[in-house]
PDB file of all heavy atoms in Angstrom:
ATOM      1  N   SER A 115       0.825  -1.205   0.000  1.00 96.00           N
ATOM      2  CA  SER A 115       0.000   0.000   0.000  1.00 96.00           C
ATOM      3  C   SER A 115       0.858   1.253   0.000  1.00 96.00           C
ATOM      4  O   SER A 115       0.482   2.280  -0.580  1.00 96.00           O
ATOM      5  CB  SER A 115      -0.920   0.003   1.230  1.00 96.00           C
ATOM      6  OG  SER A 115      -1.784  -1.111   1.212  1.00 96.00           O
ATOM      7  N   GLU A 116       2.002   1.177   0.656  1.00 95.00           N
ATOM      8  CA  GLU A 116       2.905   2.327   0.757  1.00 95.00           C
ATOM      9  C   GLU A 116       3.670   2.576  -0.543  1.00 95.00           C
ATOM     10  O   GLU A 116       3.977   3.712  -0.885  1.00 95.00           O
ATOM     11  CB  GLU A 116       3.895   2.070   1.898  1.00 95.00           C
ATOM     12  CG  GLU A 116       4.663   3.293   2.358  1.00 95.00           C
ATOM     13  CD  GLU A 116       5.513   2.993   3.573  1.00 95.00           C
ATOM     14  OE1 GLU A 116       6.603   2.409   3.389  1.00 95.00           O
ATOM     15  OE2 GLU A 116       5.107   3.321   4.700  1.00 95.00           O
ATOM     16  N   MET A 117       3.969   1.509  -1.286  1.00 96.00           N
ATOM     17  CA  MET A 117       4.845   1.615  -2.452  1.00 96.00           C
ATOM     18  C   MET A 117       4.095   1.888  -3.751  1.00 96.00           C
ATOM     19  O   MET A 117       4.529   2.699  -4.571  1.00 96.00           O
ATOM     20  CB  MET A 117       5.672   0.329  -2.580  1.00 96.00           C
ATOM     21  CG  MET A 117       6.608   0.096  -1.385  1.00 96.00           C
ATOM     22  SD  MET A 117       7.179  -1.623  -1.239  1.00 96.00           S
ATOM     23  CE  MET A 117       8.337  -1.721  -2.595  1.00 96.00           C
ATOM     24  N   LEU A 118       2.972   1.215  -3.950  1.00 96.00           N
ATOM     25  CA  LEU A 118       2.240   1.354  -5.213  1.00 96.00           C
ATOM     26  C   LEU A 118       1.732   2.780  -5.402  1.00 96.00           C
ATOM     27  O   LEU A 118       1.147   3.380  -4.501  1.00 96.00           O
ATOM     28  CB  LEU A 118       1.063   0.378  -5.258  1.00 96.00           C
ATOM     29  CG  LEU A 118       1.358  -1.023  -5.778  1.00 96.00           C
ATOM     30  CD1 LEU A 118       0.160  -1.933  -5.565  1.00 96.00           C
ATOM     31  CD2 LEU A 118       1.769  -1.010  -7.249  1.00 96.00           C
ATOM     32  N   GLY A 119       1.984   3.323  -6.574  1.00 94.00           N
ATOM     33  CA  GLY A 119       1.516   4.659  -6.905  1.00 94.00           C
ATOM     34  C   GLY A 119       2.480   5.764  -6.539  1.00 94.00           C
ATOM     35  O   GLY A 119       2.313   6.908  -6.988  1.00 94.00           O
ATOM     36  N   ASN A 120       3.496   5.453  -5.741  1.00 95.00           N
ATOM     37  CA  ASN A 120       4.473   6.469  -5.360  1.00 95.00           C
ATOM     38  C   ASN A 120       5.670   6.462  -6.309  1.00 95.00           C
ATOM     39  O   ASN A 120       5.849   5.540  -7.106  1.00 95.00           O
ATOM     40  CB  ASN A 120       4.927   6.264  -3.917  1.00 95.00           C
ATOM     41  CG  ASN A 120       3.902   6.802  -2.924  1.00 95.00           C
ATOM     42  OD1 ASN A 120       3.139   7.708  -3.247  1.00 95.00           O
ATOM     43  ND2 ASN A 120       3.881   6.242  -1.726  1.00 95.00           N
ATOM     44  N   THR A 121       6.501   7.505  -6.201  1.00 95.00           N
ATOM     45  CA  THR A 121       7.597   7.723  -7.146  1.00 95.00           C
ATOM     46  C   THR A 121       8.919   7.299  -6.539  1.00 95.00           C
ATOM     47  O   THR A 121       9.358   7.852  -5.530  1.00 95.00           O
ATOM     48  CB  THR A 121       7.672   9.214  -7.538  1.00 95.00           C
ATOM     49  OG1 THR A 121       6.385   9.658  -7.966  1.00 95.00           O
ATOM     50  CG2 THR A 121       8.689   9.423  -8.657  1.00 95.00           C
ATOM     51  N   LEU A 122       9.553   6.308  -7.172  1.00 95.00           N
ATOM     52  CA  LEU A 122      10.827   5.786  -6.690  1.00 95.00           C
ATOM     53  C   LEU A 122      11.979   6.459  -7.427  1.00 95.00           C
ATOM     54  O   LEU A 122      12.019   6.465  -8.658  1.00 95.00           O
ATOM     55  CB  LEU A 122      10.891   4.266  -6.898  1.00 95.00           C
ATOM     56  CG  LEU A 122      12.138   3.546  -6.378  1.00 95.00           C
ATOM     57  CD1 LEU A 122      12.288   3.707  -4.873  1.00 95.00           C
ATOM     58  CD2 LEU A 122      12.094   2.061  -6.743  1.00 95.00           C
ATOM     59  N   VAL A 123      12.900   7.026  -6.659  1.00 95.00           N
ATOM     60  CA  VAL A 123      14.063   7.696  -7.224  1.00 95.00           C
ATOM     61  C   VAL A 123      15.302   6.844  -6.955  1.00 95.00           C
ATOM     62  O   VAL A 123      15.608   6.516  -5.809  1.00 95.00           O
ATOM     63  CB  VAL A 123      14.263   9.099  -6.613  1.00 95.00           C
ATOM     64  CG1 VAL A 123      15.499   9.779  -7.205  1.00 95.00           C
ATOM     65  CG2 VAL A 123      13.036   9.961  -6.843  1.00 95.00           C
ATOM     66  N   THR A 124      16.009   6.461  -8.022  1.00 93.00           N
ATOM     67  CA  THR A 124      17.246   5.694  -7.889  1.00 93.00           C
ATOM     68  C   THR A 124      18.355   6.402  -8.670  1.00 93.00           C
ATOM     69  O   THR A 124      18.118   7.404  -9.338  1.00 93.00           O
ATOM     70  CB  THR A 124      17.085   4.262  -8.445  1.00 93.00           C
ATOM     71  OG1 THR A 124      17.124   4.296  -9.888  1.00 93.00           O
ATOM     72  CG2 THR A 124      15.773   3.629  -7.996  1.00 93.00           C
ATOM     73  N   LYS A 125      19.551   5.851  -8.601  1.00 88.00           N
ATOM     74  CA  LYS A 125      20.672   6.420  -9.351  1.00 88.00           C
ATOM     75  C   LYS A 125      20.399   6.431 -10.850  1.00 88.00           C
ATOM     76  O   LYS A 125      20.889   7.280 -11.577  1.00 88.00           O
ATOM     77  CB  LYS A 125      21.953   5.629  -9.071  1.00 88.00           C
ATOM     78  CG  LYS A 125      22.584   5.907  -7.720  1.00 88.00           C
ATOM     79  CD  LYS A 125      23.898   5.160  -7.585  1.00 88.00           C
ATOM     80  CE  LYS A 125      24.576   5.481  -6.253  1.00 88.00           C
ATOM     81  NZ  LYS A 125      25.869   4.753  -6.117  1.00 88.00           N
ATOM     82  N   GLN A 126      19.609   5.466 -11.310  1.00 88.00           N
ATOM     83  CA  GLN A 126      19.374   5.332 -12.748  1.00 88.00           C
ATOM     84  C   GLN A 126      18.140   6.090 -13.243  1.00 88.00           C
ATOM     85  O   GLN A 126      18.012   6.334 -14.442  1.00 88.00           O
ATOM     86  CB  GLN A 126      19.259   3.852 -13.125  1.00 88.00           C
ATOM     87  CG  GLN A 126      20.568   3.088 -12.962  1.00 88.00           C
ATOM     88  CD  GLN A 126      20.486   1.669 -13.507  1.00 88.00           C
ATOM     89  OE1 GLN A 126      19.556   1.309 -14.217  1.00 88.00           O
ATOM     90  NE2 GLN A 126      21.471   0.848 -13.161  1.00 88.00           N
ATOM     91  N   THR A 127      17.236   6.470 -12.341  1.00 88.00           N
ATOM     92  CA  THR A 127      16.033   7.179 -12.793  1.00 88.00           C
ATOM     93  C   THR A 127      16.264   8.670 -12.945  1.00 88.00           C
ATOM     94  O   THR A 127      15.521   9.352 -13.658  1.00 88.00           O
ATOM     95  CB  THR A 127      14.871   7.013 -11.795  1.00 88.00           C
ATOM     96  OG1 THR A 127      15.228   7.637 -10.549  1.00 88.00           O
ATOM     97  CG2 THR A 127      14.536   5.557 -11.573  1.00 88.00           C
ATOM     98  N   GLY A 128      17.292   9.201 -12.251  1.00 84.00           N
ATOM     99  CA  GLY A 128      17.443  10.647 -12.186  1.00 84.00           C
ATOM    100  C   GLY A 128      16.507  11.190 -11.119  1.00 84.00           C
ATOM    101  O   GLY A 128      15.693  10.447 -10.536  1.00 84.00           O
ATOM    102  N   PRO A 129      16.574  12.479 -10.846  1.00 88.00           N
ATOM    103  CA  PRO A 129      15.773  13.065  -9.763  1.00 88.00           C
ATOM    104  C   PRO A 129      14.268  12.986  -9.974  1.00 88.00           C
ATOM    105  O   PRO A 129      13.505  13.045  -9.021  1.00 88.00           O
ATOM    106  CB  PRO A 129      16.251  14.528  -9.723  1.00 88.00           C
ATOM    107  CG  PRO A 129      16.893  14.778 -11.059  1.00 88.00           C
ATOM    108  CD  PRO A 129      17.477  13.480 -11.473  1.00 88.00           C
ATOM    109  N   ALA A 130      13.838  12.862 -11.225  1.00 87.00           N
ATOM    110  CA  ALA A 130      12.396  12.783 -11.498  1.00 87.00           C
ATOM    111  C   ALA A 130      11.799  11.486 -10.977  1.00 87.00           C
ATOM    112  O   ALA A 130      10.635  11.431 -10.572  1.00 87.00           O
ATOM    113  CB  ALA A 130      12.132  12.920 -12.989  1.00 87.00           C
ATOM    114  N   GLY A 131      12.589  10.399 -10.973  1.00 92.00           N
ATOM    115  CA  GLY A 131      12.107   9.115 -10.506  1.00 92.00           C
ATOM    116  C   GLY A 131      11.120   8.466 -11.460  1.00 92.00           C
ATOM    117  O   GLY A 131      10.826   8.993 -12.536  1.00 92.00           O
ATOM    118  N   LYS A 132      10.583   7.321 -11.043  1.00 93.00           N
ATOM    119  CA  LYS A 132       9.574   6.605 -11.817  1.00 93.00           C
ATOM    120  C   LYS A 132       8.455   6.160 -10.892  1.00 93.00           C
ATOM    121  O   LYS A 132       8.708   5.665  -9.792  1.00 93.00           O
ATOM    122  CB  LYS A 132      10.183   5.374 -12.512  1.00 93.00           C
ATOM    123  CG  LYS A 132      10.973   5.680 -13.775  1.00 93.00           C
ATOM    124  CD  LYS A 132      11.471   4.404 -14.410  1.00 93.00           C
ATOM    125  CE  LYS A 132      12.142   4.651 -15.755  1.00 93.00           C
ATOM    126  NZ  LYS A 132      11.175   4.983 -16.808  1.00 93.00           N
ATOM    127  N   GLN A 133       7.229   6.327 -11.353  1.00 94.00           N
ATOM    128  CA  GLN A 133       6.088   5.884 -10.561  1.00 94.00           C
ATOM    129  C   GLN A 133       6.029   4.355 -10.556  1.00 94.00           C
ATOM    130  O   GLN A 133       6.174   3.707 -11.592  1.00 94.00           O
ATOM    131  CB  GLN A 133       4.788   6.450 -11.109  1.00 94.00           C
ATOM    132  CG  GLN A 133       3.575   6.130 -10.241  1.00 94.00           C
ATOM    133  CD  GLN A 133       2.292   6.748 -10.760  1.00 94.00           C
ATOM    134  OE1 GLN A 133       1.871   6.478 -11.885  1.00 94.00           O
ATOM    135  NE2 GLN A 133       1.666   7.584  -9.960  1.00 94.00           N
ATOM    136  N   VAL A 134       5.798   3.791  -9.364  1.00 96.00           N
ATOM    137  CA  VAL A 134       5.706   2.336  -9.228  1.00 96.00           C
ATOM    138  C   VAL A 134       4.252   1.919  -9.450  1.00 96.00           C
ATOM    139  O   VAL A 134       3.379   2.195  -8.625  1.00 96.00           O
ATOM    140  CB  VAL A 134       6.192   1.886  -7.831  1.00 96.00           C
ATOM    141  CG1 VAL A 134       5.988   0.380  -7.667  1.00 96.00           C
ATOM    142  CG2 VAL A 134       7.659   2.254  -7.641  1.00 96.00           C
ATOM    143  N   ASN A 135       4.003   1.266 -10.565  1.00 96.00           N
ATOM    144  CA  ASN A 135       2.659   0.814 -10.914  1.00 96.00           C
ATOM    145  C   ASN A 135       2.482  -0.691 -10.745  1.00 96.00           C
ATOM    146  O   ASN A 135       1.357  -1.194 -10.827  1.00 96.00           O
ATOM    147  CB  ASN A 135       2.330   1.191 -12.364  1.00 96.00           C
ATOM    148  CG  ASN A 135       2.358   2.692 -12.579  1.00 96.00           C
ATOM    149  OD1 ASN A 135       1.817   3.443 -11.788  1.00 96.00           O
ATOM    150  ND2 ASN A 135       3.020   3.130 -13.650  1.00 96.00           N
ATOM    151  N   ARG A 136       3.597  -1.388 -10.516  1.00 96.00           N
ATOM    152  CA  ARG A 136       3.551  -2.841 -10.353  1.00 96.00           C
ATOM    153  C   ARG A 136       4.519  -3.247  -9.253  1.00 96.00           C
ATOM    154  O   ARG A 136       5.587  -2.654  -9.091  1.00 96.00           O
ATOM    155  CB  ARG A 136       3.947  -3.564 -11.644  1.00 96.00           C
ATOM    156  CG  ARG A 136       3.217  -3.097 -12.879  1.00 96.00           C
ATOM    157  CD  ARG A 136       3.634  -3.889 -14.100  1.00 96.00           C
ATOM    158  NE  ARG A 136       3.110  -3.293 -15.335  1.00 96.00           N
ATOM    159  CZ  ARG A 136       2.985  -3.932 -16.485  1.00 96.00           C
ATOM    160  NH1 ARG A 136       3.367  -5.198 -16.586  1.00 96.00           N
ATOM    161  NH2 ARG A 136       2.494  -3.333 -17.553  1.00 96.00           N
ATOM    162  N   LEU A 137       4.136  -4.276  -8.498  1.00 97.00           N
ATOM    163  CA  LEU A 137       5.023  -4.870  -7.499  1.00 97.00           C
ATOM    164  C   LEU A 137       5.147  -6.356  -7.787  1.00 97.00           C
ATOM    165  O   LEU A 137       4.267  -6.970  -8.406  1.00 97.00           O
ATOM    166  CB  LEU A 137       4.466  -4.683  -6.088  1.00 97.00           C
ATOM    167  CG  LEU A 137       4.357  -3.263  -5.531  1.00 97.00           C
ATOM    168  CD1 LEU A 137       3.669  -3.296  -4.169  1.00 97.00           C
ATOM    169  CD2 LEU A 137       5.725  -2.610  -5.417  1.00 97.00           C
ATOM    170  N   TYR A 138       6.249  -6.927  -7.333  1.00 97.00           N
ATOM    171  CA  TYR A 138       6.430  -8.376  -7.424  1.00 97.00           C
ATOM    172  C   TYR A 138       6.584  -8.886  -6.003  1.00 97.00           C
ATOM    173  O   TYR A 138       7.536  -8.525  -5.296  1.00 97.00           O
ATOM    174  CB  TYR A 138       7.675  -8.689  -8.252  1.00 97.00           C
ATOM    175  CG  TYR A 138       7.813 -10.148  -8.649  1.00 97.00           C
ATOM    176  CD1 TYR A 138       6.717 -10.877  -9.099  1.00 97.00           C
ATOM    177  CD2 TYR A 138       9.047 -10.793  -8.585  1.00 97.00           C
ATOM    178  CE1 TYR A 138       6.838 -12.199  -9.481  1.00 97.00           C
ATOM    179  CE2 TYR A 138       9.182 -12.117  -8.965  1.00 97.00           C
ATOM    180  CZ  TYR A 138       8.075 -12.824  -9.410  1.00 97.00           C
ATOM    181  OH  TYR A 138       8.200 -14.134  -9.791  1.00 97.00           O
ATOM    182  N   ILE A 139       5.617  -9.689  -5.569  1.00 97.00           N
ATOM    183  CA  ILE A 139       5.677 -10.303  -4.238  1.00 97.00           C
ATOM    184  C   ILE A 139       6.349 -11.656  -4.410  1.00 97.00           C
ATOM    185  O   ILE A 139       5.813 -12.551  -5.068  1.00 97.00           O
ATOM    186  CB  ILE A 139       4.276 -10.488  -3.621  1.00 97.00           C
ATOM    187  CG1 ILE A 139       3.438  -9.205  -3.769  1.00 97.00           C
ATOM    188  CG2 ILE A 139       4.399 -10.912  -2.166  1.00 97.00           C
ATOM    189  CD1 ILE A 139       4.023  -7.997  -3.097  1.00 97.00           C
ATOM    190  N   GLU A 140       7.526 -11.807  -3.810  1.00 97.00           N
ATOM    191  CA  GLU A 140       8.346 -12.988  -4.062  1.00 97.00           C
ATOM    192  C   GLU A 140       8.657 -13.727  -2.773  1.00 97.00           C
ATOM    193  O   GLU A 140       8.804 -13.127  -1.697  1.00 97.00           O
ATOM    194  CB  GLU A 140       9.656 -12.556  -4.737  1.00 97.00           C
ATOM    195  CG  GLU A 140      10.505 -13.705  -5.263  1.00 97.00           C
ATOM    196  CD  GLU A 140      11.688 -13.195  -6.063  1.00 97.00           C
ATOM    197  OE1 GLU A 140      12.542 -12.503  -5.473  1.00 97.00           O
ATOM    198  OE2 GLU A 140      11.758 -13.474  -7.269  1.00 97.00           O
ATOM    199  N   ASP A 141       8.773 -15.034  -2.900  1.00 96.00           N
ATOM    200  CA  ASP A 141       9.148 -15.866  -1.770  1.00 96.00           C
ATOM    201  C   ASP A 141      10.586 -15.567  -1.366  1.00 96.00           C
ATOM    202  O   ASP A 141      11.460 -15.385  -2.219  1.00 96.00           O
ATOM    203  CB  ASP A 141       9.005 -17.345  -2.157  1.00 96.00           C
ATOM    204  CG  ASP A 141       9.016 -18.260  -0.947  1.00 96.00           C
ATOM    205  OD1 ASP A 141       8.600 -17.807   0.133  1.00 96.00           O
ATOM    206  OD2 ASP A 141       9.439 -19.420  -1.085  1.00 96.00           O
ATOM    207  N   GLY A 142      10.842 -15.487  -0.069  1.00 94.00           N
ATOM    208  CA  GLY A 142      12.192 -15.211   0.413  1.00 94.00           C
ATOM    209  C   GLY A 142      13.135 -16.369   0.121  1.00 94.00           C
ATOM    210  O   GLY A 142      12.714 -17.486  -0.193  1.00 94.00           O
ATOM    211  N   ALA A 143      14.441 -16.085   0.214  1.00 94.00           N
ATOM    212  CA  ALA A 143      15.457 -17.105  -0.085  1.00 94.00           C
ATOM    213  C   ALA A 143      16.521 -17.120   1.015  1.00 94.00           C
ATOM    214  O   ALA A 143      16.861 -16.081   1.583  1.00 94.00           O
ATOM    215  CB  ALA A 143      16.112 -16.818  -1.437  1.00 94.00           C
ATOM    216  N   ASP A 144      17.029 -18.302   1.293  1.00 94.00           N
ATOM    217  CA  ASP A 144      18.113 -18.477   2.261  1.00 94.00           C
ATOM    218  C   ASP A 144      19.432 -18.303   1.508  1.00 94.00           C
ATOM    219  O   ASP A 144      19.916 -19.224   0.848  1.00 94.00           O
ATOM    220  CB  ASP A 144      18.018 -19.866   2.890  1.00 94.00           C
ATOM    221  CG  ASP A 144      19.153 -20.146   3.857  1.00 94.00           C
ATOM    222  OD1 ASP A 144      19.794 -19.183   4.322  1.00 94.00           O
ATOM    223  OD2 ASP A 144      19.415 -21.343   4.143  1.00 94.00           O
ATOM    224  N   ILE A 145      20.019 -17.127   1.595  1.00 95.00           N
ATOM    225  CA  ILE A 145      21.178 -16.759   0.768  1.00 95.00           C
ATOM    226  C   ILE A 145      22.485 -17.012   1.523  1.00 95.00           C
ATOM    227  O   ILE A 145      22.682 -16.488   2.619  1.00 95.00           O
ATOM    228  CB  ILE A 145      21.104 -15.281   0.350  1.00 95.00           C
ATOM    229  CG1 ILE A 145      19.813 -15.022  -0.434  1.00 95.00           C
ATOM    230  CG2 ILE A 145      22.319 -14.898  -0.486  1.00 95.00           C
ATOM    231  CD1 ILE A 145      19.551 -13.546  -0.698  1.00 95.00           C
ATOM    232  N   ALA A 146      23.363 -17.786   0.893  1.00 96.00           N
ATOM    233  CA  ALA A 146      24.694 -18.017   1.465  1.00 96.00           C
ATOM    234  C   ALA A 146      25.737 -17.110   0.818  1.00 96.00           C
ATOM    235  O   ALA A 146      26.613 -16.565   1.499  1.00 96.00           O
ATOM    236  CB  ALA A 146      25.099 -19.487   1.287  1.00 96.00           C
ATOM    237  N   ARG A 147      25.655 -16.943  -0.513  1.00 96.00           N
ATOM    238  CA  ARG A 147      26.590 -16.070  -1.242  1.00 96.00           C
ATOM    239  C   ARG A 147      25.851 -15.336  -2.347  1.00 96.00           C
ATOM    240  O   ARG A 147      24.927 -15.879  -2.958  1.00 96.00           O
ATOM    241  CB  ARG A 147      27.724 -16.889  -1.893  1.00 96.00           C
ATOM    242  CG  ARG A 147      28.708 -17.541  -0.940  1.00 96.00           C
ATOM    243  CD  ARG A 147      29.676 -18.417  -1.731  1.00 96.00           C
ATOM    244  NE  ARG A 147      30.452 -17.635  -2.696  1.00 96.00           N
ATOM    245  CZ  ARG A 147      30.960 -18.147  -3.827  1.00 96.00           C
ATOM    246  NH1 ARG A 147      30.737 -19.412  -4.143  1.00 96.00           N
ATOM    247  NH2 ARG A 147      31.671 -17.376  -4.628  1.00 96.00           N
ATOM    248  N   GLU A 148      26.281 -14.100  -2.616  1.00 95.00           N
ATOM    249  CA  GLU A 148      25.719 -13.311  -3.711  1.00 95.00           C
ATOM    250  C   GLU A 148      26.779 -13.134  -4.792  1.00 95.00           C
ATOM    251  O   GLU A 148      27.883 -12.658  -4.512  1.00 95.00           O
ATOM    252  CB  GLU A 148      25.247 -11.936  -3.218  1.00 95.00           C
ATOM    253  CG  GLU A 148      24.034 -12.006  -2.317  1.00 95.00           C
ATOM    254  CD  GLU A 148      23.436 -10.641  -2.049  1.00 95.00           C
ATOM    255  OE1 GLU A 148      24.063  -9.617  -2.422  1.00 95.00           O
ATOM    256  OE2 GLU A 148      22.336 -10.576  -1.478  1.00 95.00           O
ATOM    257  N   LEU A 149      26.416 -13.508  -6.015  1.00 96.00           N
ATOM    258  CA  LEU A 149      27.320 -13.426  -7.159  1.00 96.00           C
ATOM    259  C   LEU A 149      26.725 -12.499  -8.209  1.00 96.00           C
ATOM    260  O   LEU A 149      25.550 -12.118  -8.139  1.00 96.00           O
ATOM    261  CB  LEU A 149      27.542 -14.817  -7.760  1.00 96.00           C
ATOM    262  CG  LEU A 149      27.884 -15.939  -6.780  1.00 96.00           C
ATOM    263  CD1 LEU A 149      27.848 -17.288  -7.481  1.00 96.00           C
ATOM    264  CD2 LEU A 149      29.243 -15.696  -6.137  1.00 96.00           C
ATOM    265  N   TYR A 150      27.547 -12.158  -9.192  1.00 96.00           N
ATOM    266  CA  TYR A 150      27.072 -11.313 -10.303  1.00 96.00           C
ATOM    267  C   TYR A 150      27.297 -12.048 -11.614  1.00 96.00           C
ATOM    268  O   TYR A 150      28.345 -12.664 -11.832  1.00 96.00           O
ATOM    269  CB  TYR A 150      27.833  -9.987 -10.336  1.00 96.00           C
ATOM    270  CG  TYR A 150      27.461  -9.125 -11.530  1.00 96.00           C
ATOM    271  CD1 TYR A 150      26.376  -8.256 -11.471  1.00 96.00           C
ATOM    272  CD2 TYR A 150      28.171  -9.202 -12.730  1.00 96.00           C
ATOM    273  CE1 TYR A 150      26.018  -7.479 -12.559  1.00 96.00           C
ATOM    274  CE2 TYR A 150      27.813  -8.433 -13.833  1.00 96.00           C
ATOM    275  CZ  TYR A 150      26.740  -7.576 -13.744  1.00 96.00           C
ATOM    276  OH  TYR A 150      26.384  -6.827 -14.823  1.00 96.00           O
TER     277      TYR A 150
END
């Protein structure tokens, strides 16, 4: 409820940001290592 419809500003969006119109509700994960 807090996120949908609001404007998210990141390093890649610039100061204008982007409105969040969709969310992805995902199952959590037991993370041991993060790779790229």
